[in-house]
Amino acid sequence: MMQKQRAKGQRESLFNNEVVSRFELYNSLFLTLPFYKVKDTGTLLPLFLKYCEDGVKNHDTPAEIIDVFFKKYTQKHSKKDIVDLLFRFIQYIERQVVLFDAVEDASFNKLNAADEHNALLSYLKKGIDNKALTDKIEKLIEEFSLRLVLTAHPTQFYPGSVLSIITDLTTAIKTNDISSINLLLQQLGKTPFFNKKSPTPVDEALSLAWYLENVFYFAAANIQSEVDKSLNDYNLQSKKIIELGFWPGGDRDGNPNVHADSTIQVSKMLRQILFRCYYRDFRNLKRRITFRGVEDTIAIVQDVLYKNAFDPNIPMENIADFLIENLNKILTTLNEDHDGLFTDVVSDLIRKVELYGSHFASLDIRQDSRVLRDVHAFCRQSKPIVSLFPEDYDSLSEAEKIKNMSFKSAKLNVPESSDALVKDTLQTIAEIKQIQKSNGELACHRFIISNCQQASDILQLMELFLWNGWEEDDLSIDFVPLFETVHDLADAAEIMNTLYTHPFYKKHLKNRGNKQHIMLGFSDSTKDGGYLMANWSIFNAKVALTGIADQHNIQLAFFDGRGGPPSRGGGKTHRFYASMGKEIANKNIQLTIQGQTISSQYGSIDSAEFNIEQLINAGMSAGIKETHNILLDPLHKNLLDVMAKDSYESFLALRQHPLFLSYLEKFSPLTLLSKITISSRPVKRNSGGALKLEDLRAISFVTAWSQLKQNIPGFYGMGTALKNQKAEGNWDKVVKTYQESGYFKTIVDNCMMSMSKSDFSITAHFANDKEYGAFWKILHDEFELSKEMLLELSGHKALMENYPVEKSSIAVREKIVLPLVLIQHYALEQLQSKITDEEQQAYEKLAIRTVYGIVNAGRNLA
């Protein structure tokens, strides 16, 4: 215990020296930059920050803080002058956030050196004299895989140009290259931080592909190399365990602007970027391998790579096997004739081709079940399908609908006048076949059904494939249900049982190796049922779904739709996987990593390797141990059932409060998010009509609360649930559950992380609002109760006490952006008063610009 405390203290001291001190040093360089009034801005900003801190302590309103500051420290007091300086503050703070990111990333390896641990190698060493353990490891390696799926996200603010600067700045800070740092800060000062217009889906894909090309291409291959070496040292067969997935260009539910042509363009783009990466590596290979006997093969590989990388007119086909065959020829010659010289360079490229094929990352297609039902209904009215179904099909029961499906192949003719969504869905289904032909089957093999509520949602989609160019025996597609709401999660096992026992689906699964992918949505379940109920519902759904799959001898792969913050499934993600237990399928870890989380956790090769390794380690340790999850014991399960129910009822009562949505609309930038030129994704699913909570996207919902610094979806109801258990005399049982269950402990720790990024003192003046004061007090009281109960449960004196470095990082970041939060509230406050159209535009722009820095500083806020 003392060693752990000492290690924490050393990391905290290292953080202060390596990150905080260096940030303050480099931050002073901003004052020397030759920009418009930069010295004036940089000099006034520390004073403004002090005024903000004092004003928050005094519970002053943002208007009071800003007005007094301008009267005391500036000569000009017009609204235009105030807005002008506030904009300059925002620009300055945005760049401070980037600098802090870079300084922190530059220190990543030093701060995390003690955490590095190769779980696979550790278990292999233990298995030297233990055949049973060795057999278990071999079986686990054969089954295990990790799939990281990159998704576009409204909170991915940094354009590619800024990402490149961050990368270069991080490198310069590592070596303390002051001259380069100064030049890069100047470049940063002149580089725009946002797009002038909303990006198209292809633009989004291109922006996200920056990480594939510059980070994942290297990081995943490096990790795979370590795995290969570990296995080779113990005479075990190498196994590809890392897969990459991609949503931009395929996710129609997330972005209604995605169309079939977007999907085709993105698949081509991924392929071309990949071959440019291969060609870049091959040029290095060619510079080293200048020996006789390989000239012809090298010329063949070079020609193929060059054409696929740079010739847009070349016929596209999956050439991964061809490349591997020829690279192996080079490898053989080097081993036989040249003493194995530079074989490592060739092996590295072979490994990358084995990992990424001709596709780089698998492009998932996602659409809402309601849209797919409409498409199925359209097809049923078309020849020759119309004769296969009764007219009253839509009014039939679920069982009768399934009974009426024939799964016959047919060829549809879709009129040009058809609904756009119908045409897009059918065209996309047809185009997937071409993508597989060009880039390989793994390029696009999953169709995800959002809001899946019944087995017919899957089966009807399969019929759509059979009516659009696909044959039953060549249906190389995995159909993935996405269960999102608390209600849908409860029904999930029954739905899958219906599918597993259906003859057509059973035969299809057998053709797909009896492997089923099931996606579970954390974001919508949290929005629907609150933090604890969402996590507990997903846990129970995973247990039930695993049980059903085991009964039918199906290999189950859970695909977790996780966002950045704990309220959307983020936080200490690897700890969730490490604590699953044998009752939950955990040998195929799949999860989404979304825009902002990508830049914060996978923004550099160092951090990407670390986080990939953490997830692999979690899966390996859980797979080897296969311990029983104690949350399934009656004592713990009954306790969590009651706590989740109490938390749910508390959260539901809040959601049903008549002021709930209007509070968000008035005090957060929720209604302005749609005006931010960062994504083509809308704030809500229903594009027309008034804002309804059920239509509001979980991302926008969580972002709005994080901007308020209240993070309601990340904790609300926890305090009430714990207090009720204490009142019932069950406190010792709750403490026992916390101490014995890694899963429950992770839920609690992530909840405390959410609360650490909350600061109700910023909005304390809301308590005096005649209309919303009482509602704010409800939120604040639950926060204080949750904090009190969680600290008592954990035995800590402060939130995140056991994560001092992360806690310090959050504290610095929150201090940097405090002025942004107050500027945002000030702007929103001004928008409530009578102002001119010109002033309205200025204040809207002011509020919108603050969102960028607040989210970027939070790193996993949205």
Side-chain angles (χ1 to χ4, degrees), residues 744-789:
F744 183 55
K745 189 175 188 300
T746 304
I747 288 174
V748 170
D749 285 353
N750 279 348
C751 184
M752 289 198 278
M753 181 194 292
S754 278
M755 297 179 73
S756 294
K757 296 184 178 184
S758 303
D759 187 354
F760 275 82
S761 62
I762 292 173
T763 52
H765 60 281
F766 288 6
N768 302 319
D769 190 284
K770 290 180 181 178
E771 186 178 1
Y772 293 96
F775 182 77
W776 179 87
K777 194 171 186 305
I778 292 171
L779 304 177
H780 180 248
D781 287 349
E782 182 64 23
F783 176 84
E784 291 298 329
L785 176 63
S786 297
K787 182 179 178 181
E788 177 189 339
M789 300 308 299

Side-chain angles (χ1 to χ4, degrees), residues 773-819:
F775 182 77
W776 179 87
K777 194 171 186 305
I778 292 171
L779 304 177
H780 180 248
D781 287 349
E782 182 64 23
F783 176 84
E784 291 298 329
L785 176 63
S786 297
K787 182 179 178 181
E788 177 189 339
M789 300 308 299
L790 288 169
L791 290 177
E792 185 177 348
L793 174 63
S794 62
H796 296 161
K797 293 179 181 178
L799 296 172
M800 293 190 72
E801 185 179 296
N802 51 335
Y803 298 108
V805 169
E806 289 86 344
K807 181 183 176 184
S808 297
S809 177
I810 289 171
V812 175
R813 291 171 178 280
E814 294 300 310
K815 181 174 181 177
I816 291 171
V817 298
L818 176 61

Side-chain angles (χ1 to χ4, degrees), residues 80-95:
K80 190 177 183 307
D81 290 330
I82 291 174
V83 168
D84 177 60
L85 182 55
L86 293 180
F87 263 117
R88 283 190 276 130
F89 281 162
I90 291 169
Q91 291 170 329
Y92 200 101
I93 292 168
E94 283 174 341
R95 285 150 180 82

Side-chain angles (χ1 to χ4, degrees), residues 452-465:
C452 186
Q453 298 177 328
Q454 50 208 16
S456 59
D457 286 335
I458 300 280
L459 297 173
Q460 286 179 173
L461 175 59
M462 296 179 81
E463 285 200 311
L464 292 180
F465 271 77

